[in-house]
Amino acid sequence: MATVSDEALGSTTCQNNAATANPTPETPSHHSEAVVQDGEQAHEALINLTIHLPHEPRSMNILVSPHEQVHEVRQSVIDLPAAFRYTCFHLEYQGSRVNDFLPVSEVISPDQPHVTLVQDPYTEKEARIHLVRIRELIGASGDRTDLVQGISPGLSLLDTLNTKGDEAVQDNREDDLKQYEFRASASVTKLLPPEAQEAPKTVKSICLSSWNPPPCHLRQRGHLLYLVVATLEGEQHHITSHVGGFYVNKSSNGKFDPQPKPPPKGHAAHSLLHLLSFLSPSFEAAFRALQQFNTQRDPLATIQIANALPAAPWVVPPTVSLLSSHVSDPTRSQETYLLAGGDNTDTLRDWNEELQSARELPKETVQDRVFRERLISKLFADYNDAATRGAIMVARGEIQPLNPTECEDAQIFVYNNIFFSFGADGVGTFTSEGGDEAARVATAKDVSGVRLVNQLDIDGLYTTATVVVDYLGKRIVAQSIVPGIFKPREPGENQIDYGAVEGKDVVAADERFIAVFEKLSRDLKVKQHPVWNKDGQRVDLETSVETKGLMGTDGRKYVLDLYRVTPLDVGWLEISTKEGDFAEYPHRMTVLRPELINSFCRKKMKEWVDAELARRGRGPKASPSRSEKAVGALPDVENPSTAATDETSGSSGAEKDDDHIDLSKFSFSLNPDVFSGQDPQTDEDRRQLEADEKDVRLACHYLTDEVIPELLRELKECETSFPMDGQALSRLLHKRGINIRYLGRVASLSTDPSLQCLRNICVQDMIARSFKHIASAYLRQTPAPLTSSCVAHLLNCLLGVQLNPAPVPDIDPSLKALYLESDFSFETVTPYSLRSQVVDETWRRFRYRLEDLHRDIKPLQLLRDISLKLGLQLQAKDYVFAQIATDPPAAPEAKDQSGTPNSQTNGESKKKKKKNRDMSPMPGRNTEARCTFWSDDIVNIVPIVKHSSPRSALAEEALEAGRISILQSQRKLGQELLLESLSLHEQIYGVLHPEVARVYNTLSMLYYQLDEKEAAVELARKAIIVSERTVGIDSAETLLNYLNLSLFLHQTGDSKGALMFAKHALDLWNIIYGPDHPDSITTINNGAVMLQHLKAYHHSRLWFEESLRVCEQVFGKGSINAATLLFQLAQALALDQDSKGAVNRMRESYSIFLSKLGPEDKNTKEAENWLEQLTQNAVSIAKHAKDVQNRRLRPGVRFPGEGPFNTASHSQASPSTFQKSPLTTTPNIDSRSIDDLIKFIEGNDQANMTSKRPSRGNPKRRGEARAV
């Protein structure tokens, strides 16, 4: 409902928390000090502004910052409940109108903080805005159909998991909470929210009248719009929107009379909201009920996402579900007019001028930077949305090309002041590089290069706003129009001022670009180098020859074509046949990643520092950490001089001057144009080119010989968390500078059993990417109305072959008859031909040979990966991928056989029956044909968007400063800096943005470490909602946020809530990866600990057993991780009255600890003590059982207090008569009583166990979700 007020609510919470933090005098850097001081001044100078209103309640107070602009205060006023009715007004201070674009400090005195709200006359635009606002406010706007955002965009499930029901429901939920079927099949229906209660209605409808627009003579008299309102009482009112407000007129559906209706039914008001309260007696009560209904959900889950594209779920409710109901709304088709006006002028913008003007704003002070970066973020968000909408229209053929006589791939378009083209080689530019494949890759590399340059923010250098959209198999590039780019130059002048002009035949080098390109090359580590034109003339360039400079007619220097900012990966292109007879790679655009160049630069810097120390007689052996400190002191390698200063300033006063290493003397750069066909003319140039080629080859060898093996080592030793899906794998590889084309190499090297998870994800991602390329080729030729049939058939051939080995395309003949000239080649695809294509594509792109395609895939997880890559939105149901042994009629017999000792069968029988129901075809179809997917299952296809929006440098600086402070044990200062960073993130991005979700997560962990667990829980909830809505409800980030929330709730004492969220995380894990993910060991173990706290000892034992099973499968039965879990399982067995099993498991744990760690290790001694305790307890229980048998007592009779682990009533444990015998061989004798031991097992005294965790590494992820 109220976007800004809800965001302000989140910011106020953080500001209040920030006010309680007292920063220490020390700061890690000058910038962090400036940020803290600025933040303190902002908090101290908040103004309590009183706003006088023309209606009840007559006045209200809000807290504003003196740095805020007046229009921001206006927006805050609009979103407060006391001022909902006002949209068209201005503020007056001491009788004078206040300029909306001035800071509050310049127009309002802190001594007299009083302003008056004065209502303004409406314009047509203001009247349209007011109508849209009121419709949303009173819940009268129906569902919207949006091709860009898709179905159910920005969905959040957190509130639906935490809903409170009646007592019976709560009792059932508590019983279900303790039970969990680990081996059950994953169900995508868990990604759907429950069918929610319908919101209270305030009016039946409110829409534009058919009498619009007003005639000219009435427009001259102030008429703006005509509306029709149907109230809940069944009355219909025609309303005139006038410059003075809204009033009821005399019109009807068949008669036009827009004059005011006389009393008693004639009413007028400046606000439509106020007028509705006059017309409908039940309106005010219904409006209050609607507001109360809206408060049942977290505001973050309902407010509109403004500065980011909402995440589109890959599974959506069935079309017959109430969640997908399409309600009647006459105004839905009128919203385009309401938002953009009759001639669409409200949405026409000069994107390039707006973006470049925003970049030119001052950035001297922190407040200048906040305003500038917030404006840039908003402009990029608006541009990305407009560009995506235009690209969809281009892909669907709804925009006329500027050059209709050219071939389709060469056609260009202009719409909404945005230039569109296809990501294909329509004019032969990339013929020598790979044609269409090279052009497609170049567009993605270009948008990444533009984003990188935008992040550098070099003064005087400008880029075009660039968006790449993949939709229906087509790649469309959207760019803001550079002034003068279409203007022909004078004869003899080049169209490009710097770089290659016509291919590489002509090379320009305008001196005006040298200064800014020098800065760019220094930051990108690009070496100044010569290139040669077709005449053999040498031209020295600062950038790659492919990077172009253009002087716009606005006098700005633009950089274009940034797809070659790094050198070619020649090592990949020149792999010899000794590693296999590889097919030719599809293109030559195989460039190295910037992350790898930075990593290689650090390596070279360390070598240089070691050599410098050796030259001074202080080699690395004499000072082993010296070079690492010098390199590690540089979070930003791009400014070595600053890092050197920070390093020296951070050194102790005892450091001598000769210990100082000036890193500014270190230089590193690479030539991006080597191996690209350059022809040097002199021997000196040839020698230099050979030296440059050698440097690039070293970087390529560094990638294959060091970076990739190091990543595998870290994963094997649990220093890094395993990825969960293809997206997480891509982020992990890219962060290390590893290109996706090395997936095959990573999979081939993952031979260790502990790396089986990584290999599985690599293989699955390669198959998904290969299928994406194949499906895109078919989709490009398929008419839009038949794309669902194409996708369904291809998915059947890939994933449904075990159910139907010969699927037939599900095509509507009447639709096919309309497209006689189209290509329907997808109809000829068979499972065998598709398998061959996938195998060949994987071999060609990743150099990996798939042995058995169907053995290497997990159908549901692969379906999810494919859907996310192609933008598919599928109907949510449990898809059947293979034949089921039991036919649906035989389901009762299967139920009778559920007594089998295999518990997995019990858990799967219900799933199988559900699958059989879901497998039945749609009504009216041929039921003889059984297949996994029908065309109706492909509900929608959304675009996949790559954008060039930069991140906020200011917010990240504060975040990095906070992290440094925490590492330096300055926690209070770190907390203050992170809070300031959060405030900056919220101001710049808005609350609903992926970057804000990450800051919420970081801050929640900090509060948890500071033992402020309630605040940690609140921030973790926010992190979940924002990540669900902007990244995805089943993304890896969302799952990790759920794990953190589960841990925090458990530490606050809410083990039931913690277990509920842990089970939801496991459900997500089952959908994302499937069972047996290495990182799930910790989650299952934590769930077992939570069940122990709930006194559910038997269920806890089952969770420990599952955790041990996965651990032994991943790390082996003799691993230390397995020994730790055996130790915990033995305790759980003791609590579950299984003394014999407890002794056996503890003996296994002791044996592993003894063999791996030795007899003197603390873990070994602890296990030995426990083994002695449990053995004596088992003997005591056996003696008691024998006595019972001798006395012929009835079975089942128990004597309270006879057994130390007799916990029939855990709340009142009976004292034990069992005494522990002293152990002369062990110096650390455990003298605790049995009650204390039970508490120890339950987790109240686990501090003495040094290694209770199933994993030793990865503090960032596994440690965050670890219950101790």
Side-chain angles (χ1 to χ4, degrees):
M1 239 170 54
T3 305
V4 175
S5 64
D6 294 329
E7 294 184 4
L9 180 63
S11 301
T12 304
T13 304
C14 299
Q15 290 172 359
N16 292 338
N17 291 332
T20 62
N22 298 318
T24 59
E26 297 182 22
T27 56
S29 67
H30 297 294
H31 168 75
S32 60
E33 183 176 358
V35 171
V36 172
Q37 291 177 353
D38 184 84
E40 291 175 347
Q41 292 173 2
H43 295 316
E44 292 172 0
L46 287 177
I47 299 174
N48 187 7
L49 184 64
T50 301
I51 302 175
H52 299 283
L53 306 175
H55 303 92
E56 293 294 336
R58 296 297 177 184
S59 68
M60 64 180 184
N61 294 344
I62 60 173
L63 287 175
V64 299
S65 168
H67 302 291
E68 287 186 66
Q69 294 189 346
V70 176
H71 73 86
E72 297 175 286
V73 177
R74 290 183 77 256
Q75 189 63 41
S76 299
V77 171
I78 290 173
D79 290 319
L80 291 176
F84 276 160
R85 68 181 70 182
Y86 306 114
T87 62
C88 184
F89 64 90
H90 68 271
L91 299 177
E92 291 186 357
Y93 181 68
Q94 296 181 350
S96 299
R97 181 167 183 151
V98 176
N99 190 319
D100 286 347
F101 296 95
L102 291 178
V104 172
S105 58
E106 293 186 15
V107 294
I108 298 175
S109 171
D111 299 330
Q112 295 180 332
H114 299 272
V115 295
T116 303
L117 186 149
V118 180
Q119 299 179 132
D120 286 335
Y122 285 97
T123 63
E124 184 193 321
K125 180 179 179 179
E126 291 289 350
R128 288 188 279 107
I129 293 174
H130 185 80
L131 175 59
V132 172
R133 159 78 172 164
I134 297 302
R135 275 173 47 83
E136 293 180 350
L137 198 61
I138 65 176
S141 57
D143 59 302
R144 291 184 174 92
T145 301
D146 196 319
L147 289 177
V148 173
Q149 299 181 1
I151 303 170
S152 303
L155 182 67
S156 175
L157 297 180
L158 178 66
D159 285 344
T160 64
L161 299 175
N162 205 20
T163 52
K164 303 295 183 181
D166 54 34
E167 293 183 1
V169 174
Q170 288 298 314
D171 292 340
N172 293 334
R173 181 174 297 155
E174 186 169 341
D175 293 338
D176 294 339
L177 195 62
K178 300 175 183 178
Q179 300 177 1
Y180 190 80
E181 182 56 61
F182 291 101
R183 311 304 296 169
S185 301
S187 175
V188 296
T189 56
K190 295 182 182 295
L191 301 180
L192 295 183
E195 294 183 355
Q197 179 184 359
E198 187 176 358
K201 281 187 171 295
T202 55
V203 295
K204 287 187 177 180
S205 68
I206 176 170
C207 61
L208 292 174
S209 167
S210 58
W211 299 113
N212 280 294
C216 295
H217 69 284
L218 293 177
R219 186 176 290 273
Q220 288 294 103
R221 295 171 57 182
H223 290 211
L224 303 175
L225 300 171
Y226 300 125
L227 313 177
V228 178
V229 174
T231 64
L232 295 179
E233 290 78 13
E235 297 181 350
Q236 188 182 74
H237 301 276
H238 286 253
I239 296 174
T240 297
S241 172
H242 190 267
V243 291
F246 297 83
Y247 62 82
V248 181
N249 62 37
K250 299 179 182 178
S251 295
S252 64
N253 291 335
K255 178 185 176 183
F256 178 62
D257 186 359
Q259 301 306 314
K261 181 177 286 189
K265 292 190 176 181
H267 298 281
H270 188 270
S271 170
L272 183 59
L273 187 68
H274 197 190
L275 179 62
L276 291 175
S277 64
F278 291 143
L279 299 179
S280 174
S282 61
F283 175 79
E284 289 191 359
F287 185 51
R288 285 194 297 269
L290 177 63
Q291 290 180 290
Q292 184 66 30
F293 176 83
N294 290 335
T295 59
Q296 294 177 5
R297 298 196 64 187
D298 192 296
L300 286 176
T302 57
I303 60 179
Q304 186 176 0
I305 301 177
N307 289 351
L309 285 176
W314 67 278
V315 288
V316 294
T319 54
V320 296
S321 169
L322 292 177
L323 295 171
S324 301
S325 59
H326 193 55
V327 298
S328 174
D329 182 11
T331 314
R332 186 187 294 115
S333 59
Q334 303 167 352
E335 282 191 345
T336 303
Y337 162 71
L338 291 174
L339 296 173
D343 50 5
N344 202 33
T345 55
D346 290 1
T347 59
L348 291 179
R349 300 166 65 175
D350 188 345
W351 297 106
N352 187 75
E353 182 60 31
E354 288 190 47
L355 289 168
Q356 313 312 343
S357 298
R359 287 195 179 105
E360 293 170 348
L361 290 172
K363 47 182 177 180
E364 281 75 23
T365 66
V366 172
Q367 287 304 320
D368 287 343
R369 295 181 66 185
V370 169
F371 177 76
R372 177 178 179 270
E373 293 187 2
R374 176 171 52 187
L375 179 59
I376 290 176
S377 175
K378 178 61 178 173
L379 286 174
F380 268 106
D382 293 345
Y383 174 81
N384 295 341
D385 182 73
T388 306
R389 295 182 187 280
I392 290 177
M393 297 177 69
V394 169
R396 287 181 167 269
E398 298 173 7
I399 299 178
Q400 184 70 19
L402 298 181
N403 52 345
T405 59
E406 302 285 343
C407 68
E408 182 179 353
D409 289 344
Q411 289 177 351
I412 58 176
F413 309 82
V414 173
Y415 178 76
N416 198 5
N417 286 330
I418 301 175
F419 175 75
F420 296 93
S421 60
F422 289 106
D425 191 22
V427 294
T429 305
F430 295 94
T431 302
S432 62
E433 305 291 334
D436 288 344
E437 286 282 358
R440 185 179 181 88
V441 173
T443 56
K445 298 294 183 183
D446 182 44
V447 73
S448 300
V450 172
R451 183 169 61 248
L452 183 60
V453 175
N454 286 340
Q455 195 66 43
L456 295 175
D457 198 12
I458 299 173
D459 291 335
L461 185 62
Y462 300 88
T463 60
T464 59
T466 307
V467 169
V468 171
V469 179
D470 291 326
Y471 183 65
L472 299 180
K474 300 174 183 177
R475 172 160 289 184
I476 299 100
V477 185
Q479 296 170 300
S480 59
I481 300 174
V482 176
I485 193 170
F486 296 125
K487 180 181 178 181
R489 298 286 182 100
E490 295 294 331
E493 290 187 10
N494 295 323
Q495 196 71 20
I496 297 296
D497 296 302
Y498 199 93
V501 180
E502 300 172 0
K504 298 177 185 177
D505 294 342
V506 179
V507 181
D510 194 322
E511 294 182 355
R512 295 175 294 179
F513 283 83
I514 293 179
V516 291
F517 275 16
E518 277 182 350
K519 299 178 183 177
L520 176 63
S521 300
R522 182 170 59 250
D523 291 336
L524 296 179
K525 300 172 183 61
V526 172
K527 183 178 184 179
Q528 184 189 43
H529 61 281
V531 296
W532 292 265
N533 59 23
K534 65 177 181 179
D535 298 328
Q537 296 176 342
R538 169 174 168 160
V539 181
D540 290 333
L541 294 180
E542 298 289 341
T543 61
S544 168
V545 69
E546 304 288 355
T547 302
K548 300 174 179 60
L550 175 66
M551 181 66 72
T553 55
D554 56 358
R556 298 186 177 106
K557 301 180 183 70
Y558 292 89
V559 58
L560 309 173
D561 293 349
L562 289 161
Y563 53 81
R564 280 285 299 275
V565 295
T566 55
L568 284 173
D569 184 4
V570 67
W572 175 267
L573 294 174
E574 296 180 353
I575 291 181
S576 62
T577 55
K578 66 180 180 181
E579 294 188 26
D581 188 13
F582 296 116
E584 183 180 0
Y585 199 64
H587 57 83
R588 284 183 53 85
M589 299 298 297
T590 55
V591 295
L592 298 172
R593 293 194 61 83
E595 297 91 343
L596 179 79
I597 303 301
N598 286 337
S599 176
F600 188 55
C601 177
R602 286 181 177 272
K603 176 178 181 292
K604 303 296 287 186
M605 182 187 295
K606 183 179 183 300
E607 293 175 354
W608 179 82
V609 171
D610 289 341
E612 188 70 14
L613 291 173
R615 184 182 64 81
R616 300 182 184 184
R618 297 189 53 185
K621 294 182 180 180
S623 181
S625 61
R626 182 78 174 129
S627 61
E628 295 177 3
K629 288 169 63 179
V631 177
L634 231 184
D636 184 6
V637 194
E638 290 146 5
N639 193 353
S641 59
T642 305
T645 306
D646 292 343
E647 162 63 16
T648 2
S649 61
S651 303
S652 63
E655 292 280 351
K656 298 181 180 180
D657 292 340
D658 58 357
D659 286 340
H660 169 68
I661 298 178
D662 187 3
L663 295 181
S664 62
K665 296 179 180 179
F666 170 78
S667 63
F668 171 82
S669 57
L670 295 175
N671 183 349
D673 288 325
V674 296
F675 307 110
S676 60
Q678 294 299 320
D679 185 17
Q681 301 298 306
T682 66
D683 292 340
E684 182 179 354
D685 290 340
R686 293 190 186 95
R687 285 193 296 270
Q688 183 60 49
L689 185 62
E690 289 175 0
D692 293 344
E693 290 177 348
K694 181 180 178 182
D695 290 340
V696 172
R697 288 187 186 276
L698 288 175
C700 297
H701 291 311
Y702 171 69
L703 169 62
T704 56
D705 299 343
E706 296 186 39
V707 176
I708 294 178
E710 177 63 16
L711 173 62
L712 297 178
R713 184 198 63 79
E714 291 181 8
L715 288 168
K716 183 179 178 180
E717 297 182 4
C718 302
E719 296 178 8
T720 300
S721 176
F722 280 90
M724 301 181 191
D725 60 357
Q727 290 181 329
L729 174 64
S730 176
R731 287 194 298 269
L732 176 64
L733 295 181
H734 287 169
K735 187 177 180 181
R736 304 300 181 98
I738 304 172
N739 303 86
I740 291 297
R741 58 178 172 270
Y742 283 98
L743 278 175
R745 188 182 187 93
V746 173
S748 300
L749 295 176
S750 302
T751 56
D752 191 274
S754 62
L755 297 177
Q756 182 65 33
C757 167
L758 178 65
R759 181 191 174 278
N760 293 342
I761 296 177
C762 287
V763 171
Q764 177 175 298
D765 198 44
M766 286 188 286
I767 295 174
R769 291 177 181 275
S770 299
F771 179 85
K772 179 190 71 173
H773 288 287
I774 297 168
S776 296
Y778 288 115
L779 286 172
R780 276 195 293 273
Q781 312 300 327
T782 305
L786 293 170
T787 51
S788 294
S789 299
C790 174
V791 172
H793 180 62
L794 295 177
L795 289 176
N796 280 326
C797 291
L798 179 70
L799 301 175
V801 64
Q802 295 185 12
L803 181 66
N804 185 352
V808 179
D810 177 25
I811 299 181
D812 187 344
S814 61
L815 278 178
K816 182 179 179 181
L818 299 175
Y819 299 96
L820 298 178
E821 298 180 358
S822 298
D823 183 2
F824 293 95
S825 57
F826 73 88
E827 292 182 285
T828 63
V829 176
T830 64
Y832 177 79
S833 67
L834 182 62
R835 178 189 180 280
S836 300
Q837 286 180 280
V838 170
V839 170
D840 293 344
E841 197 75 11
T842 305
W843 177 249
R844 193 164 66 107
R845 293 183 179 275
F846 305 104
R847 293 171 177 168
Y848 184 83
R849 182 68 72 186
L850 293 172
E851 299 297 336
D852 187 347
L853 180 62
H854 298 296
R855 183 199 65 189
D856 291 336
I857 65 175
K858 301 175 182 177
L860 179 61
Q861 287 71 31
L862 180 58
L863 175 63
R864 175 182 176 272
D865 269 4
I866 290 173
S867 300
L868 293 177
K869 286 177 169 59
L870 287 174
L872 307 180
Q873 289 193 298
L874 308 180
Q875 189 171 184
K877 66 179 186 180
D878 292 330
Y879 293 95
V880 179
F881 299 101
Q883 292 282 357
I884 299 176
T886 306
D887 291 328
E893 297 180 6
K895 185 176 180 180
D896 294 339
Q897 297 173 1
S898 61
T900 176
N902 186 358
S903 61
Q904 184 174 346
T905 306
N906 296 338
E908 289 181 353
S909 60
K910 296 181 180 179
K911 296 287 181 182
K912 291 180 180 178
K913 288 186 289 182
K914 290 183 180 179
K915 287 180 179 178
N916 288 331
R917 290 197 296 267
D918 291 335
M919 183 185 63
S920 54
M922 299 293 290
R925 278 218 177 91
N926 180 12
T927 56
E928 294 180 1
R930 301 174 63 189
C931 58
T932 304
F933 301 95
W934 300 96
S935 60
D936 292 341
D937 292 330
I938 316 301
V939 183
N940 188 34
I941 300 179
V942 296
I944 305 298
V945 182
K946 300 179 178 69
H947 58 78
S948 57
S949 308
R951 301 185 309 275
S952 168
L954 177 62
E956 291 191 352
E957 286 169 7
L959 181 62
E960 185 64 26
R963 287 172 174 165
I964 293 174
S965 298
I966 295 171
L967 292 176
Q968 295 176 349
S969 301
Q970 301 177 19
R971 288 196 168 184
K972 288 296 183 181
L973 175 61
Q975 179 184 12
E976 179 71 17
L977 287 169
L978 285 175
L979 285 170
E980 190 63 32
S981 173
L982 174 60
S983 176
L984 292 172
H985 275 83
E986 291 178 336
Q987 290 182 62
I988 292 168
Y989 296 116
V991 173
L992 294 174
H993 195 280
E995 296 295 331
V996 178
R998 296 177 187 116
V999 175
Y1000 279 143
N1001 183 50
T1002 301
L1003 201 57
S1004 68
M1005 290 187 290
L1006 171 69
Y1007 272 115
Y1008 176 72
Q1009 294 168 6
L1010 295 176
D1011 206 30
E1012 298 182 26
K1013 297 184 176 60
E1014 296 296 335
V1017 168
E1018 182 62 27
L1019 286 168
R1021 288 182 182 275
K1022 289 186 176 184
I1024 289 175
I1025 295 176
V1026 178
S1027 63
E1028 280 185 327
R1029 300 195 65 194
T1030 59
V1031 183
I1033 55 176
D1034 60 343
S1035 67
E1037 290 184 42
T1038 301
L1039 189 152
L1040 292 173
N1041 290 337
Y1042 268 111
L1043 294 180
N1044 285 343
L1045 176 60
S1046 174
L1047 170 63
F1048 301 160
L1049 284 173
H1050 175 66
Q1051 294 298 327
T1052 59
D1054 184 9
S1055 294
K1056 290 183 180 179
L1059 188 60
M1060 177 181 64
F1061 290 122
K1063 290 176 64 175
H1064 180 68
L1066 288 174
D1067 289 337
L1068 293 180
W1069 226 318
N1070 211 14
I1071 294 172
I1072 296 173
Y1073 174 80
D1076 303 343
H1077 189 279
D1079 291 354
S1080 66
I1081 300 171
T1082 304
T1083 304
I1084 300 171
N1085 191 70
N1086 290 345
V1089 175
M1090 296 169 192
L1091 286 166
Q1092 282 188 347
H1093 280 263
L1094 294 174
K1095 309 298 183 184
Y1097 296 115
H1098 179 68
H1099 292 94
S1100 173
R1101 162 189 179 170
L1102 299 179
W1103 282 59
F1104 275 124
E1105 289 175 346
E1106 175 66 16
S1107 178
L1108 176 63
R1109 185 193 66 79
V1110 179
C1111 180
E1112 290 180 343
Q1113 179 175 322
V1114 174
F1115 299 106
K1117 293 187 176 182
S1119 64
I1120 297 179
N1121 294 331
T1124 304
L1125 289 177
L1126 283 167
F1127 187 99
Q1128 292 180 304
L1129 176 59
Q1131 296 173 333
L1133 291 171
L1135 288 174
D1136 196 32
Q1137 307 297 316
D1138 187 353
S1139 58
K1140 183 177 179 181
V1143 171
N1144 293 335
R1145 290 301 192 180
M1146 189 60 71
R1147 184 179 292 112
E1148 293 178 31
S1149 174
Y1150 169 71
S1151 299
I1152 297 174
F1153 280 136
L1154 182 64
S1155 61
K1156 294 288 186 180
L1157 303 178
E1160 299 302 320
D1161 186 82
K1162 186 175 182 180
N1163 292 312
T1164 307
K1165 294 179 179 179
E1166 190 80 15
E1168 184 180 13
N1169 290 340
W1170 273 96
L1171 179 60
E1172 179 72 17
Q1173 290 272 7
L1174 293 173
T1175 302
Q1176 295 186 19
N1177 176 64
V1179 172
S1180 175
I1181 293 177
K1183 289 181 179 179
H1184 171 69
K1186 187 175 181 179
D1187 292 341
V1188 170
Q1189 184 177 7
N1190 291 337
R1191 287 177 291 186
R1192 297 181 180 180
L1193 293 178
R1194 291 173 298 177
V1197 175
R1198 294 178 179 268
F1199 293 91
E1202 286 293 336
F1205 292 101
N1206 183 9
T1207 53
S1209 177
H1210 296 295
S1211 58
Q1212 296 179 352
S1214 302
S1216 173
T1217 58
F1218 176 79
Q1219 298 294 329
K1220 176 175 178 279
S1221 302
L1223 298 176
T1224 57
T1225 60
T1226 304
N1228 297 328
I1229 300 176
D1230 196 336
S1231 59
R1232 289 172 289 190
S1233 66
I1234 294 300
D1235 288 340
D1236 292 337
L1237 294 177
I1238 292 178
K1239 292 180 181 179
F1240 180 89
I1241 295 176
E1242 293 178 358
N1244 296 330
D1245 186 20
Q1246 292 189 356
N1248 293 331
M1249 186 64 186
T1250 61
S1251 179
K1252 289 290 183 68
R1253 298 167 181 172
S1255 172
R1256 295 169 292 169
N1258 192 14
K1260 290 186 178 179
R1261 293 195 177 182
R1262 297 180 189 173
E1264 292 161 11
R1266 186 173 287 140
V1268 292

